[in-house]
Amino acid sequence: MSLFRTCPTTGLQVHRTADRLIQANAVAATVALLIGGVAALLVLLTRWEVVLLLDAGMFYRMLTVHGMNMLIFFIIFFEMAVLYFASAVLLNCRVPAPRTGWIAFALMVIGALMVEWTMWTGRADVLFTSYVPLRAHPLFYLGVILFAVGALTVVGHFFGILTIARREKTYKGSMPLVTFGALTAAAIAAVTLLHGAIIYIPTFLWSLGLMEVDPQMYRLIWWGLGHSSQQINVAAMVSIWYLLGALTVGAVVLNEKVSRTAFVLYVLFISMASAHHLLVDPGMGPAWKIWNTSYFMYMAVLASMLHGFTVPAGVELGMRLRGAAQGLFGWLKRAPWGDPGFSSLAFSIVVFGFVGGITGVTFGTEQINIIAHNTLRIPGHFHATVVSGTAMAFMGITYYVIPLIFRREIAFYPLARIQPYLFALGMLIFSMAMTFAGTFGMPRRHWNASFTGAVFQPEFSPAVNLVMGVMAVGGLIAIAGGAIYIVVTVVSVFFGKKMAADDSGLGAEGRGLPPGITHPPRALVEEDRAALGPSGRLGPVPGTMVLVFIFLAAFITYYFVNWALLSFLWEVG
Amino acid sequence: MYRTGIEPPERIWWKKIDRHEKVWVWIAFAWCMVLFAMMPIWHLRGGQNPSGIRHRVEPADYQARVAEFIQEYQVGTDSGFPVVEPPPGSDVYLQATSFSWIPVLRLQQGAEYVLHLSSLDVNHGFNLYPLNINFQVVPGYDYGLRVVPNEPGEFHIICNEFCGIGHHLMVGKIIVEPADAEQGGDR
């Protein structure tokens, strides 16, 4: 068998090692998603106090399992697959060090297994953040270190593939935008994983009784890992947005300069976000907090607001180029809403921006954090970013990774079509209910807000308890969406119908084939600009122009309402 | 000629931006500057800032300071916890340990206090319920916050940083006496 295969859809030369590394990492990610999902269900059914399923000890244990599996194992394994895809596959390049690739993968799996063992056996009931001086079994910290070293190796490998592709001239011109985005994700990953090493190695030694670790210093550096790794997710997610746009509707890039500059802003400023978790901490002063929480004057927020324009604008222009040019929103009306890749993309952008982004910037404001820190508002925010945003985008791309890389058709396609709708709707209800309950001071990471057995008894109003019920319903809908995803992907990968070798080139029709590639807009029109006709007062992408101003209005409103809420409190300072 | 994000563009991609796209870039930039300016402005004009007086402190020293504080101003007990009523303008010490807040505080509406927060063991979270004022309580650090209670009533302190299996039991109390009741007593 040849070392390479030619992708019948794109004509790219795909190194089979890249195929296998992508497959292995994607499978590991799905296993972590399954474990984290089961834990999610148990945690949810406990916080829904009508059920109160687990006892306190088991609740915190499952919360630890949920956090580690979702935020570390699922996301990072998936990102490793994305790195191989964006480099070796998109650049037409070989994987230079297959053995290193497999050793890195093995390190990550061994690290993950060590962490799983300590968590499931009750040796690491310290939650995802494992704040010192809460103490876990040394193997918990060692497992994280091994996992991080493995991931760091993949990042290095990725940089190696980029260098070789350039030297061997496997592509013409500059690297594609999606690869460029993945490159920024990898750069952020290098910084992040370094923070992980800096904090977990001393903590590992501390757990063996060999040295001291200052609790405030731990929080500072740990969040250099904990929050910055969410910024890997953002950069990877935005790259996937461009990728999904290209695959589903042939979305175009309006201006490479704007999109790439925005990615670079992420690399430069986003790792300052550790401060978001330390705004009401005693260790730092106001100047440090303001400077860092704003990522040097909100330059990383600017980056996200640029992508929030360019991605939908690319989709709009792609749709207009293929003829859907009627009115402001004709392109949205005629978009392929039945394609799970496209619906995932659309929901990922909307929920990430409107719920996750706006709440994130607002809660990350130094003073407003006083009314948000450690309440349910925080998980409300990050379930909208990392789940409805990142995980949703990752799920969406899977519907193309399975046909293109695993060479299998998607099984149960009608189920796959409704999956993004269920998942997005559930997560939207869930995260908004969480955010709302948090506004009333509902604590996060809390077994029982009825305070059973406590000396003093604060009482939440029945309205807040009702909101917690709504949260549970939203969570259950989302978990159903997640379960469908796992069933569809597992059945497709192991039992799905094999894709035929030659029925998927230009103009081909078929389930799971990326219409953006088989039917590119450029095949339909000769002169791009001419086809669009003269652009009106709102420019070439009028629909997106209107949408971004609706977004800005929502942002401004939510932001200043929170300042107003803050101003009613006791004076404090 | 437009390209998708998965096709390599030409070598030089630094090109002029469309006028409409440029408008959004500048509006977004201006909004970021507003976001940034709001924080220093609130330090100058606003009443709620997490600045505080911040020191390192040995847990044992802090514990001794709290004991001294309780001894000086204790006025009774509530459910086994000392109730302490410090004079307006004084330093008030609250101690977090797994799984209790010590002591119960009685404060005057409209008076200013410096509320000190620290932990003797692990991280804890200070949440003043139902006002929803939140601060992180870190062992080894004394966080002194100037507070002015602006309404009377009974408030609870909920621990909102995971501190162990009894985390949900960790509830404290602050009572704020109305300002006019105090003046009435004086007359």
Side-chain angles (χ1 to χ4, degrees):
Chain A
M1 195 152 74
S2 148
L3 282 175
F4 288 83
R5 66 177 175 86
T6 305
C7 175
T9 311
T10 56
L12 290 167
Q13 292 288 313
V14 182
H15 194 181
R16 289 184 195 275
T17 305
D19 264 352
R20 282 189 216 105
L21 282 168
I22 292 170
Q23 289 167 358
N25 280 288
V27 168
T30 310
V31 172
L33 182 68
L34 177 63
I35 300 171
V38 170
L41 182 63
L42 298 174
V43 167
L44 183 76
L45 290 179
T46 308
R47 279 226 77 156
W48 193 9
E49 299 213 357
V50 185
V51 184
L52 197 67
L53 183 67
L54 304 175
D55 62 29
M58 207 40 138
F59 171 77
Y60 296 120
R61 191 167 303 165
M62 285 303 117
L63 196 52
T64 312
V65 168
H66 176 61
M68 291 303 291
N69 276 289
M70 293 305 206
L71 280 170
I72 300 288
F73 304 146
F74 159 64
I75 293 251
I76 296 188
F77 270 124
F78 204 101
E79 279 159 356
M80 298 301 111
V82 170
L83 288 185
Y84 285 119
F85 179 82
S87 56
V89 176
L90 286 185
L91 296 184
N92 234 354
C93 184
R94 67 196 169 87
V95 174
R99 192 172 298 164
T100 309
W102 289 113
I103 290 173
F105 178 72
L107 269 179
M108 291 172 73
V109 170
I110 292 167
L113 287 175
M114 284 163 80
V115 172
E116 298 285 0
W117 175 75
T118 56
M119 291 190 302
W120 285 95
T121 54
R123 287 172 170 87
D125 294 338
V126 290
L127 300 195
F128 172 59
T129 44
S130 57
Y131 288 137
V132 165
L134 285 177
R135 196 183 288 265
H137 193 281
L139 284 185
F140 175 81
Y141 308 108
L142 189 63
V144 178
I145 293 168
L146 290 184
F147 186 85
V149 169
L152 209 49
T153 310
V154 179
V155 170
H157 201 180
F158 168 81
F159 291 135
I161 299 172
L162 293 192
T163 314
I164 284 175
R166 196 173 179 78
R167 193 183 301 151
E168 296 180 355
K169 296 193 173 59
T170 59
Y171 61 100
K172 285 195 181 70
S174 294
M175 67 174 81
L177 181 59
V178 171
T179 308
F180 189 86
L183 169 62
T184 62
I188 299 168
V191 176
T192 298
L193 295 166
L194 223 53
H195 277 98
I198 292 173
I199 196 57
Y200 270 109
I201 291 172
T203 308
F204 171 59
L205 296 174
W206 164 80
S207 73
L208 294 170
L210 296 176
M211 68 177 284
E212 289 294 309
V213 175
D214 180 75
Q216 183 72 76
M217 193 52 81
Y218 177 91
R219 281 173 59 76
L220 172 67
I221 302 176
W222 191 88
W223 279 114
L225 164 75
H227 203 106
S228 306
S229 64
Q230 307 320 311
Q231 320 296 3
I232 315 173
N233 302 342
V234 172
M237 172 191 74
V238 174
S239 310
I240 301 271
W241 283 354
Y242 286 110
L243 177 58
L244 273 173
L247 295 179
T248 55
V249 296
V252 297
V253 182
L254 262 76
N255 186 299
E256 296 275 355
K257 174 169 77 174
V258 174
S259 298
R260 285 173 197 237
T261 307
F263 273 123
V264 171
L265 288 176
Y266 280 151
V267 179
L268 292 180
F269 301 116
I270 216 159
S271 54
M272 298 160 87
S274 163
H276 287 186
H277 302 264
L278 312 171
L279 293 174
V280 293
D281 268 38
M284 299 81 184
W288 185 91
K289 287 174 179 175
I290 291 176
W291 188 250
N292 285 283
T293 197
S294 69
Y295 315 99
F296 177 67
M297 305 205 279
Y298 289 101
M299 285 303 108
V301 173
L302 177 65
S304 288
M305 287 178 77
L306 296 186
H307 289 304
F309 175 87
T310 55
V311 175
V315 170
E316 175 172 359
L317 204 50
M319 286 300 294
R320 284 178 189 277
L321 287 171
R322 55 177 63 233
Q326 303 77 3
L328 270 184
F329 297 116
W331 58 283
L332 270 184
K333 219 168 129 191
R334 285 180 51 190
W337 292 99
D339 175 346
F342 182 81
S343 53
S344 298
L345 167 66
F347 299 143
S348 173
I349 296 172
V350 170
V351 184
F352 179 87
F354 276 85
V355 186
I358 292 178
T359 57
V361 174
T362 306
F363 302 163
T365 305
E366 189 203 3
Q367 294 92 343
I368 293 175
N369 195 252
I370 295 173
I371 54 172
H373 183 71
N374 275 356
T375 68
L376 265 193
R377 298 183 96 183
I378 304 303
H381 149 71
F382 70 69
H383 279 85
T385 52
V386 80
V387 188
S388 313
T390 306
M392 184 94 219
F394 286 2
M395 287 175 174
I397 197 63
T398 314
Y399 296 117
Y400 284 105
V401 167
I402 291 175
L404 294 177
I405 301 292
F406 286 87
R407 306 296 306 157
R408 302 271 188 169
E409 278 190 17
I410 300 289
F412 308 132
Y413 202 67
L415 266 183
R417 289 162 85 109
I418 60 162
Q419 188 271 331
Y421 290 84
L422 271 182
F423 194 71
L425 176 75
M427 284 319 297
L428 184 65
I429 296 172
F430 177 77
S431 46
M432 285 176 74
M434 263 187 157
T435 310
F436 193 69
T439 315
F440 295 92
M442 179 63 80
R444 69 183 286 199
R445 300 176 151 185
H446 202 281
W447 171 59
N448 179 329
S450 306
F451 306 97
T452 313
V455 179
F456 303 114
Q457 293 283 324
E459 267 183 33
F460 284 97
S461 84
V464 176
N465 290 326
L466 182 70
V467 171
M468 294 298 283
V470 172
M471 175 193 88
V473 172
L476 288 175
I477 297 173
I479 289 172
I484 291 176
Y485 170 79
I486 291 178
V487 168
V488 167
T489 51
V490 168
V491 172
S492 308
V493 165
F494 293 104
F495 310 104
K497 197 175 140 213
K498 284 216 166 81
M499 301 279 287
D502 54 351
D503 66 349
S504 52
L506 204 65
E509 303 269 357
R511 172 188 297 177
L513 298 177
I517 291 179
T518 54
H519 299 80
R522 288 188 311 282
L524 306 176
V525 289
E526 295 269 90
E527 293 292 329
D528 302 342
R529 288 268 178 199
L532 287 171
S535 65
R537 216 168 351 141
L538 289 172
V541 285
T544 304
M545 219 55 191
V546 172
L547 292 178
V548 290
F549 279 101
I550 295 173
F551 170 77
L552 186 62
F555 198 162
I556 293 173
T557 309
Y558 189 78
Y559 182 70
F560 284 110
V561 163
N562 272 277
W563 280 112
L565 283 177
L566 180 73
S567 70
F568 300 139
L569 293 182
W570 295 10
E571 274 184 31
V572 55
Chain B
M1 176 84 172
Y2 289 115
R3 279 186 185 77
T4 69
I6 52 177
E7 293 161 284
E10 60 275 35
R11 216 54 200 92
I12 308 295
W13 40 260
W14 192 266
K15 299 237 171 87
K16 234 181 122 225
I17 313 174
D18 173 78
R19 192 162 50 88
H20 297 85
E21 195 173 4
K22 202 181 219 164
V23 168
W24 175 249
V25 172
W26 283 107
I27 288 175
F29 181 78
W31 173 237
C32 289
M33 291 304 109
V34 173
L35 293 174
F36 184 67
M38 275 306 288
M39 290 186 286
I41 289 173
W42 201 263
H43 272 281
L44 297 173
R45 297 289 169 120
Q48 296 79 14
N49 289 291
S51 322
I53 307 155
R54 294 161 288 104
H55 293 290
R56 274 176 187 270
V57 67
E58 281 300 316
D61 295 345
Y62 192 80
Q63 187 172 22
R65 189 69 198 87
V66 173
E68 199 181 308
F69 167 69
I70 294 173
Q71 202 176 11
E72 204 169 351
Y73 301 118
Q74 182 167 3
V75 292
T77 54
D78 181 351
S79 317
F81 288 86
V83 179
V84 175
E85 187 170 355
S90 62
D91 283 62
V92 176
Y93 293 86
L94 194 61
Q95 166 187 312
T97 42
S98 306
F99 303 101
S100 60
W101 299 95
I102 298 170
V104 172
L105 296 170
R106 190 180 289 169
L107 308 176
Q108 293 295 328
Q109 180 188 0
E112 184 179 299
Y113 302 88
V114 179
L115 173 62
H116 292 264
L117 303 171
S118 192
S119 161
L120 302 187
D121 40 40
V122 294
N123 276 270
H124 295 282
F126 173 92
N127 169 272
L128 193 62
Y129 182 82
L131 294 175
N132 199 18
I133 296 177
N134 302 278
F135 289 98
Q136 185 78 18
V137 186
V138 183
Y141 290 81
D142 176 359
Y143 205 171
L145 296 153
R146 293 178 208 85
V147 296
V148 183
N150 64 359
E151 55 180 314
E154 196 175 287
F155 302 93
H156 286 105
I157 308 165
I158 299 173
C159 179
N160 65 7
E161 183 62 78
F162 172 68
C163 56
I165 196 153
H167 175 42
H168 65 282
L169 300 173
M170 189 165 166
V171 181
K173 200 195 244 182
I174 294 181
I175 302 148
V176 178
E177 302 285 357
D180 39 344
E182 166 69 6
Q183 282 157 6
D186 283 347
R187 278 182 220 123

